[in-house]
Amino acid sequence: MENDTATEILEATHRALCRRGYADLTLGAIADEADRSTSSIHYHFDDKETLLREYLDHLHTRYIERIDAVDGGTSREELGSLLQRAIGEVEPASKAPFRTALLEVKAQAPYDDAVRERLRAFDEFLLGRVEDVIADGIESGQFDEQVDAAAAADFLVTAVIGARTRNVALGHSADVRKSIARYVDAQLVAKEPTEATR
């Protein structure tokens, strides 16, 4: 498939998903967004499910680029920036059609192995990145050596995903960033400077 055509169709899928939601997403709606015929969409993708999988792969590539772009001077700063990027903007669901549509897609995971596999890739990537930053912080003495990097990363990623889901599903807009920062300061940051940080 030509790269330009693929990108155009995937971007049209994004627009159609945001406008219509998952339940009303059809190849016809995507074709309308792409200003193409349905047959031209069928030429590249067999069905909506195949296109959705490709779209999730496309999102995953962009997600990796966004998360990999996060950097910080210290492990604490990098962890804060990484979690802030992962949380994204906290806003009412009515102003976040993409997040609403993505939540609908996530609801398909228990019934669709291919969707679940792709969503797991997002989760594992973020989890691994957070765990690596925490492990680096422990090694450098910025974080307490008693911290279990894997358990802390799992808790933080769960908090981020929960905050996003509550925001979309319930319009809950509490600033979870402050709670996460308090957790990091109270549970991860080394209380006494170590040789590595002196």
Side-chain angles (χ1 to χ4, degrees):
M1 176 170 32
E2 301 149 12
N3 194 41
D4 288 347
T5 303
T7 300
E8 183 182 329
I9 293 171
L10 293 172
E11 288 174 354
T13 301
H14 178 83
R15 292 191 302 273
L17 190 60
C18 290
R19 285 185 212 270
R20 297 170 181 260
Y22 178 81
D24 293 328
L25 183 68
T26 63
L27 292 181
I30 294 166
D32 288 346
E33 288 289 342
D35 199 22
R36 292 179 166 272
S37 66
T38 304
S39 60
S40 71
I41 304 292
H42 272 294
Y43 176 78
H44 297 292
F45 300 96
D46 292 336
D47 50 33
K48 175 178 129 175
E49 289 71 26
T50 303
L51 177 52
L52 182 63
R53 290 176 199 133
E54 290 292 329
Y55 171 70
L56 289 174
D57 289 342
H58 175 69
L59 281 185
H60 187 252
T61 300
R62 290 174 51 198
Y63 182 74
I64 288 174
E65 290 169 357
R66 287 183 65 236
I67 296 298
D68 276 345
V70 172
D71 197 11
T74 66
S75 294
R76 173 67 182 88
E77 291 167 349
E78 186 170 352
L79 182 61
S81 296
L82 178 60
L83 294 171
Q84 183 165 331
R85 178 72 54 93
I87 292 168
E89 294 301 317
V90 176
E91 55 186 316
S94 62
K95 296 184 180 177
F98 169 67
R99 288 199 175 187
T100 302
L102 193 56
L103 186 59
E104 288 182 282
V105 172
K106 288 178 180 181
Q108 306 311 305
Y111 314 104
D112 187 324
D113 291 342
V115 170
R116 182 168 55 250
E117 175 186 325
R118 281 159 175 82
L119 294 176
R120 183 177 287 125
F122 283 83
D123 187 77
E124 289 176 353
F125 177 75
L126 179 60
L127 189 62
R129 185 81 155 74
V130 171
E131 185 175 343
D132 287 347
V133 172
I134 293 172
D136 288 346
I138 293 168
E139 187 175 328
S140 69
Q142 296 170 55
F143 295 150
D144 194 294
E145 63 184 12
Q146 300 301 314
V147 168
D148 180 332
D154 189 64
F155 174 80
L156 288 167
V157 169
T158 299
V160 165
I161 292 169
R164 287 192 316 221
T165 301
R166 286 183 77 198
N167 177 249
V168 172
L170 306 174
H172 186 265
S173 60
D175 192 352
V176 72
R177 293 174 184 86
K178 290 179 182 175
S179 298
I180 286 176
R182 282 194 293 269
Y183 169 83
V184 170
D185 289 340
Q187 302 297 322
L188 305 187
V189 173
K191 303 303 181 269
E192 295 294 332
T194 65
E195 289 300 322
T197 58
R198 284 184 184 145

